[in-house]
Amino acid sequence: MPEDKFFKAIANKTHPNEQLVPTHCSYCGMQCGMNLRVDTATNKIIGVEPRYDWPVTLGKMCPKGVTAYQQTNHEDRLLRPLIRDDASLKGTKEGFREASWDEAYTLIARRFGELQQQYGKDSLSVFSGVSMTNEKCYLTGKFARVALQTRYIDYNGRFCMSSAAAGFLRSFGVDRGSTLPWTDLHETDCLFIAGSNTAECHPTSMFRVWEVQNRGGYLIVADPRETPIARRADVHLDLRPGTDLALANCMVHLLLQNGYADEAFIREHTSGFEEMKEVVKLFTPEYTSEITGVAPEKLIRAAEIYGKAPNAVVMFARGIEQQHKGADNVCAYTNMCLVTGKIGRPKSGVATFTGQGNGQGGREHGQKSDLLPGYRKITNPKHVEEVCRVWGIAQEEMPQPGVSAYEMFELMQSKTIRGLYLLCSNPAVSAPNQNYVRAALKGLDFMVCADMFLSESAEFADVVLPSVSWSEDEGTVTNLEGRIIKINRAQRPLGESKPDWLIQVELAERLGRGQFFRHLKTARDVGDEFRLASKGGYADYYGATWERIEKENGLFWPCRSVNDPGTPHMFLDKKFYHADGKAKLCALPYRPPAEEPCGQYPLRLTTGRVVYHYLSGNQTRRIPFLRDMCPEPYVEVHPETASRYGIEHDEIVRLYTRRGEALYKVKIIEAIRPDTVFVPYHFGHEQSVNLLTIAALDPMSRMPEFKACAAQIEKIGDASGKRKEGVR
Amino acid sequence: MKQHLYIEIDNCIGCRSCLAACTQCGGHDQRNRNYVYDVNPFVNRQTIPLMCLHCVNPACARSCPAQAIQITEEGAVLSALVEKCIGCQNCTIACPYGIPKFDEAQNLMYKCDLCYDRTKEGIPPMCASVCPTNTLQWLTEEELAAKKSRQQLGRWTASRDPYDALEGETNVKISLPGILQGTVKLF
């Protein structure tokens, strides 16, 4: 990998009686490089040092990264299995007693067995996450299908990355979140960033973003809020939440109309142009302005800059993806690259900012209801055969495809699903329409949760298994570039906690399916089987051995053999993965958000992150520095809106939608549209904004529409934080 | 080789990584010794980092009756020496930027020491190491000269009266807001 202009050879700071273990942050898809400081005498992680030689981030870390090590030896860590004997206490922290692993395993095997005997194999379900290594993600898919023999497995990537996956698959025939490495970004001439609060969600990208402008390049940001990145943009397209499809269609309309199209590229390397052209015709700047609320001249200027740029990258994140047309939005923005031919070469392309640590790798290896390792389809007999050969099971034994994450809660409500094995996820905070989801969890006959802390979701469990933090296990993850990287173990597991892969291997034994798992004695064994299982798939990791990854500072997939250098830039040969070798230009008629504002609910509610917290906050809310910086959620309100409701800064208001309500402190700021309010989603229990969000699902990706629903504010007390009596 | 902490104010996104990193420095006891201010929080999210500027002739050291504040030959103004500090808090009053803070429990002033344990070994201070936006940079004289040729460097003044500004030479250099104003666009 060539060293970029920001690289400086800086020696590590060493401390006496300590060892530095190079690894990566536990949080978002940037997976910033860091060194953990380990006390050699006690084998305890005691601090962090920058990792200046990691080519993507060069030692840079956000406040979450700097303090991430503090979760490993946190006082809240679960050290022994917990069992709840009284089911009436479900949904609270109460009623748990400590138990041995043996007792916990025996209980799980007995209850799972009873449920499957009474209600069939598919009465059990697995709900997992993608903040874990590729090895664990792979094994979780195998565990569900081989050990539990159930069709119902899905993961929290449905709340995060599935729209990008579905969109890229439709446009390119393959889903790799970025077509180029991050080390290219600052060398491009124009960044078009839609629906990403990059500064707060992926801060360590920012030194490259600012460098584009420092060099005289342009930054265009489409976001309803004037986020820190939008504040410095050359053009800020301040659209209404949920109207991205119209905006993207307008961009394509203007690119075609004003002569910025690359006709030879369209002719030779794309299909579907005529149909798409017909659809975008309608999206004149004036018409688009009516839908999006963005001034026509801003739309025209943005398209002109992107069109003229010799090289440009279109980037996006959850802002466009967490909509009930998220996959369409992804394809619509990707159309911009395809009609201008700005893809399949260095410094140009398209990328999504991956929200979760292993959002990329975790969606490729069989945690999704319809996928098997290496992006194989569970509905394709040839793919099933390839995976069955690795797993050593008969093809008939492979379960059918299941349903998506949110739909699993619907099946819990209807009692189709009776038992749940939950790991590495906290849906009791992160799923939409929380009142419904919590009732679904409460109604389960039996629930197991593996976590390092007693999360809000673990409160619904019958058995809680203590799993390890990222720093106590090893494996690989795939960062937002598509680069496979190595996570290293810095400390022995705390207390009696165990890695998830070991828990699954041991549980499989208790479930009578040990013969398919007992050869996996180390994380390395799981890694080697996983490489083999991905071999031959689109997401082929076979050549990415742990040794090569460490030696070569990560490897980009596909990496098909041990001699394959990997693929930092996708589509350099202009060959896309559809059967005809062409990329697909998608014709995408506009659809408004599932729920539009009305007289009763006149505002649009949108949600997102703050820089201090990660996902449901189960990890970051426990870290003192991060908790002090952002201890509670708030609702951002424009001053005009505040004055209309007669509410003041720091006053507590009731925010409600058709699905629920919650109390929030008002934060008045001009950086939000007057017709929109914003609440960060990292908080649990009665502070969860997902009590309010809508579970309208994208038909293709099954992603809920977190980013737009109709809402109303009610003043409940006097100004300055005073509340009505009886209101907590 | 002398190096300078350099602050490119426009780059700040308010992530406060510099504060988090500061808590990780040797002897900082999980307390940050630098600060970030919201400029106009009701309007936008503009923030500025406020670090110790390591004045060439620092008011904190000048006002110290016990000579507890040492200045290194590289120009770093250190935290109060435990054995000398008498806890009078003159330094906290004298500093025009509000940097030295007082620890009641230890009866001791503490402030940014420019990560002297790192910088003396040629390693950047923790805040500049982690800063994800290059708001804080650790520059050689040469790199600083290159910045000067492109942008106007500013002085941090602490008085509202422009004719009586409280300013002096500092080892930490800052850019004036508007760093992109003179940038020629690529196309």
Side-chain angles (χ1 to χ4, degrees):
Chain A
M1 187 54 58
E3 284 165 1
D4 67 53
K5 69 163 281 180
F6 295 107
F7 178 82
K8 284 184 176 182
I10 300 169
N12 281 322
K13 169 78 182 164
T14 52
H15 307 263
N17 307 319
E18 287 179 22
Q19 187 198 353
L20 289 181
V21 177
T23 189
H24 297 271
C25 178
S26 57
Y27 302 120
C28 81
M30 285 298 291
Q31 290 291 294
C32 302
M34 59 168 65
N35 287 302
L36 292 176
R37 290 170 55 191
V38 183
D39 184 305
T40 39
T42 58
N43 186 242
K44 288 273 183 237
I45 297 168
I46 54 169
V48 68
E49 275 289 333
R51 187 170 163 191
Y52 301 108
D53 59 349
W54 179 249
V56 187
T57 48
L58 306 165
K60 298 176 182 309
M61 286 181 268
C62 80
K64 297 184 288 292
V66 172
T67 53
Y69 76 91
Q70 294 176 6
Q71 49 174 287
T72 304
N73 294 304
H74 197 282
E75 59 181 9
D76 290 355
R77 277 288 297 274
L78 300 174
L79 303 178
R80 270 169 287 282
L82 302 176
I83 291 178
R84 192 206 302 275
D85 297 315
D86 181 355
S88 70
L89 292 170
K90 273 193 176 192
T92 72
K93 288 185 183 358
E94 309 305 317
F96 287 111
R97 63 172 170 86
E98 288 195 345
S100 68
W101 278 98
D102 189 55
E103 188 189 357
Y105 282 154
T106 306
L107 177 63
I108 294 168
R110 180 171 64 79
R111 293 291 288 129
F112 275 1
E114 284 168 2
L115 288 173
Q116 284 193 318
Q117 210 162 21
Q118 198 173 350
Y119 303 107
K121 295 281 186 204
D122 291 334
S123 61
L124 297 185
S125 61
V126 176
F127 193 107
S128 60
V130 283
S131 296
M132 45 188 197
T133 59
N134 286 315
E135 286 76 4
K136 287 183 189 180
C137 294
Y138 156 74
L139 196 67
T140 301
K142 179 178 173 182
F143 178 78
R145 279 137 185 163
V146 179
L148 296 179
Q149 298 170 278
T150 178
R151 71 199 294 184
Y152 292 120
I153 170 169
D154 211 61
Y155 75 135
N156 65 12
R158 293 284 184 187
F159 303 153
C160 196
M161 273 79 65
S162 59
S163 287
F168 286 141
L169 272 175
R170 184 162 43 156
S171 290
F172 303 139
V174 64
D175 156 40
R176 203 187 81 182
S178 174
T179 66
L180 73 174
W182 242 236
T183 43
D184 268 22
L185 285 185
H186 59 275
E187 295 181 8
T188 193
D189 306 308
C190 169
L191 288 175
F192 189 109
I193 300 182
S196 165
N197 177 6
T198 315
E200 292 202 77
C201 304
H202 299 88
T204 48
S205 297
M206 291 307 294
F207 68 104
R208 299 188 194 278
V209 172
W210 291 155
E211 177 64 10
V212 171
Q213 285 189 313
N214 291 345
R215 285 176 38 250
Y218 291 89
L219 173 64
I220 300 164
V221 175
D223 199 305
R225 303 162 68 213
E226 193 191 71
T227 61
I229 188 174
R231 191 182 68 232
R232 227 180 96 170
D234 294 278
V235 183
H236 173 205
L237 306 168
D238 51 343
L239 76 176
R240 294 189 185 105
T243 61
D244 289 270
L245 190 49
L247 190 145
N249 277 344
C250 174
M251 288 296 121
V252 177
H253 168 97
L254 288 165
L255 290 168
L256 295 179
Q257 187 190 49
N258 296 331
Y260 296 118
D262 182 337
E263 282 163 21
F265 185 93
I266 294 173
R267 197 172 50 243
E268 287 160 33
H269 303 298
T270 68
S271 62
F273 177 68
E274 291 304 326
E275 297 90 314
M276 184 212 66
K277 192 177 165 192
E278 206 45 45
V279 168
V280 300
K281 234 184 218 168
L282 178 65
F283 292 87
T284 61
E286 293 71 27
Y287 176 67
T288 308
S289 179
E290 280 173 33
I291 297 172
T292 61
V294 182
E297 51 272 26
K298 285 207 229 175
L299 297 166
I300 293 166
R301 179 67 181 140
E304 185 192 359
I305 293 171
Y306 180 82
K308 278 187 183 165
N311 284 300
V313 184
V314 173
M315 307 178 84
F316 38 75
R318 305 305 85 68
I320 73 155
E321 294 161 25
Q322 288 178 333
Q323 296 182 22
H324 80 136
K325 51 183 179 294
D328 283 1
N329 288 340
V330 167
C331 293
Y333 278 112
T334 303
N335 283 347
M336 288 176 65
C337 301
L338 292 172
V339 298
T340 54
K342 285 175 186 158
I343 190 159
R345 60 177 199 241
K347 304 180 200 178
S348 279
V350 58
T352 182
F353 289 97
T354 309
Q356 294 192 66
N358 195 17
Q360 180 70 51
R363 68 185 187 239
E364 299 161 352
H365 300 297
Q367 292 192 96
K368 246 175 157 173
S369 58
D370 55 341
L371 288 181
L372 291 171
Y375 257 136
R376 292 180 175 90
K377 296 287 280 182
I378 204 165
T379 45
N380 181 328
K382 186 172 168 291
H383 290 184
V384 170
E385 193 236 309
E386 287 166 351
V387 174
C388 285
R389 205 169 337 125
V390 177
W391 287 355
I393 60 169
Q395 262 174 270
E396 307 78 66
E397 283 190 81
M398 182 69 81
Q400 295 297 304
V403 298
S404 76
Y406 184 78
E407 290 164 301
M408 289 218 287
F409 298 114
E410 292 176 338
L411 294 184
M412 289 173 203
Q413 285 274 23
S414 65
K415 295 282 179 196
T416 307
I417 292 176
R418 300 252 171 187
L420 168 67
Y421 176 72
L422 173 74
L423 69 155
C424 194
S425 187
N426 193 7
V429 177
S430 60
N433 196 12
Q434 269 300 309
N435 285 318
Y436 182 87
V437 169
R438 291 177 193 177
L441 291 173
K442 204 166 181 180
L444 282 166
D445 290 23
F446 188 68
M447 175 178 159
V448 179
C449 175
D451 205 311
M452 52 193 277
F453 298 118
L454 193 72
S455 68
E456 285 81 356
S457 300
E459 292 172 15
F460 291 92
D462 297 277
V463 179
V464 182
L465 303 175
S467 56
V468 298
S469 83
W470 100 111
S471 53
E472 296 159 301
D473 196 11
E474 56 183 346
T476 61
V477 307
T478 310
N479 79 350
L480 77 183
E481 304 167 287
R483 188 191 303 246
I484 310 158
I485 61 179
K486 178 80 199 314
I487 302 296
N488 290 315
R489 176 167 140 159
Q491 178 181 313
R492 283 184 296 274
L494 200 67
E496 293 177 21
S497 62
K498 293 184 184 190
D500 288 297
W501 65 264
L502 182 60
I503 296 172
Q504 287 172 13
V505 168
E506 292 179 348
L507 254 181
E509 197 70 57
R510 300 296 186 116
L511 294 163
R513 303 287 282 175
Q515 72 267 36
F516 304 104
F517 293 87
R518 67 175 71 107
H519 59 286
L520 304 170
K521 295 188 179 359
T522 62
R524 177 61 180 252
D525 294 340
V526 183
D528 285 340
E529 184 180 301
F530 148 68
R531 277 175 45 232
L532 202 63
S534 77
K535 186 175 164 60
Y538 282 146
D540 192 332
Y541 282 49
Y542 184 67
T545 63
W546 286 9
E547 289 76 19
R548 282 193 69 195
I549 293 169
E550 298 214 294
K551 197 167 141 229
E552 298 175 38
N553 272 335
L555 276 165
F556 290 80
W557 73 262
C559 182
R560 298 188 175 89
S561 73
V562 287
N563 300 316
D564 184 343
T567 316
H569 296 91
M570 293 290 276
F571 319 127
L572 284 181
D573 55 2
K574 306 283 190 288
K575 290 270 179 296
F576 297 92
Y577 283 48
H578 287 302
D580 59 2
K582 293 182 172 182
K584 174 113 182 94
L585 284 166
C586 302
L588 305 159
Y590 177 71
R591 285 177 286 148
E595 196 177 67
E596 288 272 62
C598 58
Q600 202 181 350
Y601 298 95
L603 297 166
R604 271 197 169 99
L605 167 67
T606 192
T607 67
R609 291 189 188 190
V610 299
V611 69
Y612 307 109
H613 293 297
Y614 176 66
L615 301 189
S616 72
N618 185 36
Q619 299 169 80
T620 51
R621 277 185 273 126
R622 295 173 203 271
I623 306 237
F625 180 86
L626 303 174
R627 190 181 54 223
D628 290 351
M629 288 293 151
C630 184
E632 58 181 1
Y634 49 83
V635 53
E636 269 184 16
V637 183
H638 191 277
E640 272 176 32
T641 317
S643 98
R644 199 163 71 237
Y645 285 92
I647 55 181
E648 290 180 28
H649 188 67
D650 273 354
E651 177 175 349
I652 309 282
V653 295
R654 187 170 81 97
L655 186 65
Y656 62 102
T657 67
R658 290 184 175 89
R659 291 152 297 280
E661 60 175 69
L663 302 179
Y664 296 112
K665 227 178 213 178
V666 173
K667 179 175 171 180
I668 291 184
I669 188 159
E670 286 178 23
I672 191 161
R673 298 177 54 89
D675 56 10
T676 302
V677 293
F678 167 89
V679 182
Y681 65 68
H682 311 285
F683 299 86
H685 297 127
E686 74 275 17
Q687 293 185 311
S688 172
V689 71
N690 282 322
L691 291 161
L692 283 64
T693 50
I694 186 168
L697 304 186
D698 181 297
M700 193 172 284
S701 69
R702 316 308 286 162
M703 171 80 85
E705 184 149 78
F706 291 102
K707 285 292 186 269
C709 69
Q712 175 65 310
I713 283 178
E714 186 188 33
K715 188 180 171 73
I716 56 166
D718 299 321
S720 18
K722 284 185 212 155
R723 307 175 192 194
K724 265 186 191 169
E725 271 186 16
V727 178
R728 281 178 58 226
Chain B
M1 182 175 63
K2 188 166 163 78
Q3 289 191 250
H4 293 273
L5 185 63
Y6 168 71
I7 308 177
E8 204 152 293
I9 290 178
D10 279 10
N11 288 359
C12 186
I13 56 168
C15 69
R16 291 169 171 82
S17 292
C18 47
L19 273 59
C22 190
T23 65
Q24 299 304 305
C25 268
H28 282 200
D29 220 11
Q30 295 289 330
R31 266 195 299 212
N32 56 286
R33 299 172 173 196
N34 48 16
Y35 314 94
V36 170
Y37 285 105
D38 296 298
V39 177
N40 201 343
F42 291 108
V43 177
N44 60 24
R45 297 180 171 84
Q46 179 70 60
T47 45
I48 50 167
L50 180 54
M51 334 301 285
C52 174
L53 300 173
H54 296 276
C55 301
V56 171
N57 187 11
C60 58
R62 272 186 288 153
S63 68
C64 178
Q67 286 85 50
I69 303 171
Q70 304 279 302
I71 303 162
T72 71
E73 55 186 83
E74 298 87 351
V77 181
L78 303 182
S79 205
L81 290 169
V82 180
E83 62 272 24
K84 285 193 173 177
C85 178
I86 55 170
C88 70
Q89 302 187 45
N90 274 5
C91 51
T92 62
I93 299 160
C95 173
Y97 313 112
I99 298 296
K101 294 284 183 284
F102 190 70
D103 179 345
E104 299 278 351
Q106 294 189 63
N107 196 40
L108 180 71
M109 173 277 254
Y110 62 97
K111 69 175 281 297
C112 162
D113 52 10
L114 203 62
C115 285
Y116 190 58
D117 60 331
R118 311 171 74 84
T119 50
K120 73 179 177 206
E121 295 175 16
I123 301 169
M126 275 298 261
C127 55
S129 289
V130 305
C131 177
T133 58
N134 275 347
T135 302
L136 305 172
Q137 304 174 28
W138 183 244
L139 301 182
T140 61
E141 296 273 11
E142 220 173 26
E143 289 166 330
L144 190 67
K147 292 280 181 196
K148 276 182 185 161
S149 69
R150 267 194 73 189
Q151 307 161 3
Q152 210 184 347
L153 296 200
R155 281 188 171 186
W156 205 302
T157 62
S159 166
R160 292 167 67 92
D161 179 354
Y163 301 105
D164 186 24
L166 249 174
E167 64 175 50
E169 194 181 350
T170 59
N171 282 306
V172 174
K173 307 297 178 188
I174 58 170
S175 73
L176 286 181
I179 50 168
L180 295 178
Q181 282 169 13
T183 307
V184 180
K185 287 288 187 184
L186 288 172
F187 59 93

